[in-house]
């Protein structure tokens, strides 16, 4: 792999950029791999990369039924933060945050990680109490955070309506300066390129139609396009389709798959230099480097795999955004899309072994998995390599639903997706 | 947006009048005092979550405020039929017309 550099850019400019090396190979799958990862989104590709990089396991395939990073990785609002309430979740997301901070250098790929800060607004007294509690918990866990009052919020975001004239006036916010956004596609491409360079086979348009087992242990997968591929261990990282894969081995997961929508406006001049989220009026917004406003919505209530959502959900989201930013009332929306999120009862992921030996699941990230991409891949790679949970992944085991040791981040952590 | 037939109101109404209430026909354990943790978790947390036909509960929140069941395709969002609690779905009777299942979004 030729490393990207400014010298390379100059060199290729001389040949009119016609001789760039392909970012990754397009290999024919082998019959057997030490580890097969099902799902070539950000989390799956990160898992493959860290398996090769940290654990030296390079006989790895990533099987993707569509194209790399074409699912939720390309459908989210790219927000990265780690201000979760409970210790287990905070440690996991902060682990991820630390990896984000060096990711572009590590991957030799500009993931455009921009630590422009995230505001979680409070609109009621209870909101503010929860924010104070969460920021205190964050600081005890070594995560940056501040409680701001309405005046300080107004100074940070002058175009935000912090007046008393709104239905739910802004009372304050939590502020995590190290949080921000990243370029979602670049994250998938960066991990893919780096994993490929270490010898990982990325197999696109290869759909897994069955998981084969023998004496209670997974032995391989049956694919639609390339037949049987045997594997020492199998890691499923398929977000909304996790229940479908689990069903292949007769496993029921505590998941429901819901459509989650987002939208972008036409590109406009720089106007918003941070990320604003509000649980109470339920919307979140940032401005991409391209200039479009990236706006996120709530999930549709019903189970759905259709990768689209309802219009009334869009309407509610736009209402919330206009409540906060009346200045955007005449901005035109450009595109809208939906992704299928696998929501867990406690709004925390499942990174776990299963009752089927050698079969592991990394799922349940629900509405907020993008921020965890490097951390999720890192701890899941360790889990797959050693066959036992990484210390940070241990609390997120599948059996927490039997023991009752849930990590209830619903509402508690500013979880707005 | 879904266009849902409430079997009590006997009318098609827009999705915004309803709330989704999860998978249908999950029986509460008969002997709750003697359930194992796994049985409780099956009842409370684990769901079929299928890609395809799904029997589910809806609540007519701003209408008759009654719970009812629906059979809906989670891929196409087509509603095959809706029926009252305690009833068995009558697919052959054609309670549902093609129009009902259509999804405007």
């Amino acid at each position: 792999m030729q490393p990207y550099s400014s010298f390379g850019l100059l060199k290729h400019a001389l040949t009119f950029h016609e001789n760039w090396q392909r970012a990754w190979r397009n290999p024919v799958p082998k019959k057997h791999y030490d580890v097969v990862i099902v799902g070539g989104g950000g989390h799956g590709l990160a898992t493959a990369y860290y398996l090769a990089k940290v654990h030296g396991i390079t006989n790895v395939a990533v099987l993707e039924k569509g194209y790399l990073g074409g699912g939720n990785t390309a459908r989210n609002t790219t927000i990265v933060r780690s201000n979760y309430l409970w210790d287990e979740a905070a440690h996991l997301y902060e682990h991820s945050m630390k990896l984000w901070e060096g990711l572009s250098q590590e991957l030799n790929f500009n993931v455009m990680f921009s630590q422009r800060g995230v505001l979680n607004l409070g609109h009621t007294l209870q909101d503010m109490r929860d924010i104070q509690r969460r920021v205190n918990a964050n600081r005890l866990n070594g995560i940056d955070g501040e409680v701001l009052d309405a005046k300080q919020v107004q100074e940070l975001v002058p175009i935000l309506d912090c007046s008393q004239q709104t239905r739910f006036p802004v009372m304050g916010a939590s502020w995590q300066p190290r949080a921000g956004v990243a370029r979602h596609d670049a994250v998938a491409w960066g991990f893919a390129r780096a994993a490929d360079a270490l010898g990982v086979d990325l197999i696109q348009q290869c759909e897994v139609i069955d998981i084969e087992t023998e004496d209670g242990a997974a032995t391989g997968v049956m694919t639609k396009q390339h037949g049987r591929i045997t594997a020492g261990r199998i890691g499923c990282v398929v977000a909304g389709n996790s229940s479908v894969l689990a069903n292949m081995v007769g496993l029921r997961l505590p998941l429901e798959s819901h459509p989650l929508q987002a939208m972008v406006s036409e590109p406009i001049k720089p106007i918003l230099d941070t990320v604003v989220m509000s649980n109470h009026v339920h919307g979140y917004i940032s401005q991409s480097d391209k200039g479009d406003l990236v706006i996120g919505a709530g999930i549709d209530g019903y189970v759905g795999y259709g990768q689209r959502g309802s219009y009334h959900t869009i309407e509610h989201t736009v209402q919330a955004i206009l409540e906060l930013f009346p200045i955007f009332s005449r901005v035109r929306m450009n595109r809208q899309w939906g992704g299928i999120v696998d929501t867990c009862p406690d709004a925390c992921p499942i990174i776990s072994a299963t009752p089927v030996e050698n079969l592991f699941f990394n799922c349940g990230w629900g509405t907020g998995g993008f921020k965890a991409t490097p951390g999720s891949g890192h701890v899941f790679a360790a889990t797959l390599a050693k066959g036992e949970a990484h210390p940070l992944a241990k609390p997120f085991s599948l059996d927490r639903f039997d023991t009752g040791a849930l990590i209830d981040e619903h509402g508690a952590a500013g979880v707005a997706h | 947006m879904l266009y849902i037939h409430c079997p009590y109101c006997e009318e098609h109404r827009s999705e915004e009048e309803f709330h989704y209430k999860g998978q249908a026909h999950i029986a509460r354990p008969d002997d709750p005092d003697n359930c194992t943790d796994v049985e409780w978790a099956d009842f409370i947390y684990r769901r079929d979550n299928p890609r395809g036909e799904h029997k589910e509960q809806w609540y007519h929140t701003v209408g008759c405020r009654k719970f009812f069941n629906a059979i809906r395709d989670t891929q196409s969002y087509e509603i095959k039929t809706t029926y009252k609690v305690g009833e068995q779905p009558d697919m052959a009777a054609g309670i549902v017309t093609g129009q009902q299942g259509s999804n405007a979004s």
Side-chain angles (χ1 to χ4, degrees):
Chain A
M1 183 180 78
Q2 295 171 352
Y4 293 146
S5 65
S6 48
F7 173 73
L9 197 61
L10 201 67
K11 191 180 83 181
H12 283 287
L14 298 175
T15 51
F16 303 98
H17 297 290
E18 284 177 356
N19 298 311
W20 283 100
Q21 193 184 29
R22 290 184 75 93
W24 50 80
R25 296 165 295 131
N26 199 14
V28 175
K30 292 185 257 182
K31 292 280 168 221
H32 175 84
Y33 289 95
D34 293 339
V35 178
V36 160
I37 292 161
V38 186
H43 289 231
L45 293 165
T47 305
Y49 169 72
Y50 288 114
L51 265 176
K53 176 83 178 180
V54 180
H55 304 281
I57 301 171
T58 55
N59 187 25
V60 174
V62 177
L63 309 182
E64 165 56 47
K65 75 172 175 180
Y67 56 93
L68 299 179
N72 292 351
T73 303
R75 294 164 189 269
N76 60 83
T77 49
T78 77
I79 298 167
V80 175
R81 58 185 178 88
S82 61
N83 54 353
Y84 280 67
L85 175 69
W86 300 106
D87 291 352
E88 298 87 347
H91 292 155
L92 182 63
Y93 289 103
E94 180 60 16
H95 178 59
S96 192
M97 178 66 87
K98 291 197 172 118
L99 291 170
W100 275 113
E101 286 174 331
L103 200 59
S104 290
Q105 286 74 21
E106 167 148 13
L107 298 179
N108 180 230
F109 202 101
N110 187 4
V111 298
M112 294 166 75
F113 181 48
S114 162
Q115 292 176 292
R116 57 184 67 183
V118 168
L119 283 166
N120 290 93
L121 301 180
H123 300 261
T124 65
L125 266 180
Q126 188 58 48
D127 274 359
M128 292 313 297
R129 289 183 190 124
D130 288 343
I131 282 170
Q132 268 162 4
R133 180 188 182 206
R134 176 161 51 79
V135 169
N136 284 334
N138 289 159
R139 293 172 77 120
L140 287 171
N141 275 322
I143 298 167
D144 60 323
E146 284 172 54
V147 181
L148 306 183
D149 62 24
K151 193 162 161 284
Q152 291 167 303
V153 173
Q154 186 76 87
E155 278 166 18
L156 267 174
V157 190
I159 57 168
L160 180 66
D161 186 354
C162 292
S163 72
Q164 293 297 310
Q165 307 306 312
T166 55
R167 174 76 177 83
F168 299 105
V170 174
M171 295 181 72
S174 75
W175 168 242
Q176 189 185 13
R178 280 162 69 236
V181 293
R183 168 97 165 89
H184 49 5
D185 293 328
V187 176
W189 298 335
F191 273 120
R193 177 169 167 272
D196 176 87
L198 293 170
V200 172
D201 281 356
L202 309 175
I203 320 287
Q204 302 183 67
Q205 294 181 342
C206 179
E207 183 179 355
V208 170
I209 50 173
D210 198 16
I211 297 171
E212 302 188 330
T213 56
E214 211 177 284
D215 302 329
T219 55
V221 295
M222 182 59 77
T223 67
K224 201 175 188 174
Q225 290 83 356
H226 297 285
R228 174 175 291 115
I229 298 172
T230 57
R233 284 190 178 132
I234 301 170
C236 296
V237 201
V238 294
N241 282 306
S242 296
S243 295
V244 178
L245 251 77
N247 192 36
M248 292 173 186
V249 291
L251 200 62
R252 271 173 109 219
L253 297 175
L255 295 178
E256 279 199 336
S257 298
H258 293 273
L260 174 63
Q261 300 182 77
M263 64 199 101
V264 291
S265 74
E266 58 190 346
I268 55 177
K269 287 189 176 178
I271 190 164
L272 185 61
D273 63 357
T274 184
V275 183
V276 179
M277 313 179 70
S278 168
N279 266 4
H280 197 78
V281 300
H282 211 162
Y284 37 101
I285 184 165
S286 64
Q287 188 174 22
S288 77
D289 291 347
K290 207 165 59 181
D292 33 16
L293 299 171
V294 184
I295 296 169
I299 57 170
D300 278 73
Y302 49 76
V303 167
Y305 286 84
Q307 292 193 313
R308 63 188 183 278
S310 301
Y311 277 123
H312 65 91
T313 307
I314 303 173
E315 192 183 345
H316 292 317
T317 303
V318 171
Q319 278 169 357
I321 295 301
L322 289 188
E323 159 106 356
L324 300 171
F325 298 96
I327 192 175
F328 292 148
S329 64
R330 280 170 294 161
V331 172
R332 282 166 297 197
M333 289 298 142
N334 218 352
R335 290 181 297 122
Q336 165 271 344
W337 62 89
I340 303 306
V341 297
D342 43 337
T343 56
C344 231
D346 58 355
C348 271
I350 295 165
I351 309 168
S352 181
T354 65
V356 181
E357 213 182 316
N358 297 330
L359 180 67
F360 297 77
F361 267 84
N362 181 357
C363 59
W365 290 93
T367 56
F370 177 74
K371 68 174 79 69
T373 304
S376 156
H378 191 264
V379 299
F380 194 48
T383 304
L384 279 168
K386 299 185 178 139
E388 60 180 81
H390 183 279
L392 287 175
K394 217 171 226 160
F396 299 94
S397 73
L398 203 47
D399 63 15
R400 72 176 188 268
F401 299 95
D402 298 328
T403 62
L406 303 188
I407 306 152
D408 181 16
E409 285 290 348
H410 251 310
V415 174
H417 321 309
Chain B
M1 189 185 294
L2 303 176
Y3 197 44
I4 302 170
H5 181 264
C6 173
Y8 293 98
C9 301
E10 298 183 340
E11 256 186 71
H12 285 88
R13 307 293 294 178
S14 101
E15 181 189 336
E16 278 186 293
E17 290 193 9
F18 300 87
H19 269 108
Y20 179 77
K21 290 291 178 184
Q23 186 180 335
H25 307 302
I26 299 175
R28 187 180 164 85
D30 284 335
D31 187 9
D33 291 338
N34 294 306
C35 273
T36 63
D37 290 345
V38 174
E39 283 167 337
W40 271 121
D42 281 341
F43 170 64
I44 298 172
Y45 297 122
R46 283 188 267 272
R47 295 293 177 262
D48 291 345
N49 195 25
R51 189 186 185 108
E53 209 162 271
H54 189 222
K55 287 180 184 166
E56 57 196 24
Q57 305 176 98
W58 286 83
Y59 178 50
H60 198 175
T61 322
V62 296
C64 60
R65 299 177 68 186
K66 287 189 174 124
F67 281 81
F68 62 92
N69 297 317
I71 300 179
R72 189 179 56 92
D73 190 308
T74 60
Q75 172 87 44
S76 68
Y77 299 171
E78 184 192 355
I79 298 169
K80 312 274 186 194
T81 186
T82 57
Y83 53 100
K84 293 176 186 171
V85 170
E87 283 182 359
Q88 285 302 311
D90 188 1
M91 300 292 282
I95 304 167
V96 190
T97 61
Q99 173 217 7
Q100 178 192 359
S102 69
N103 177 14
S105 65

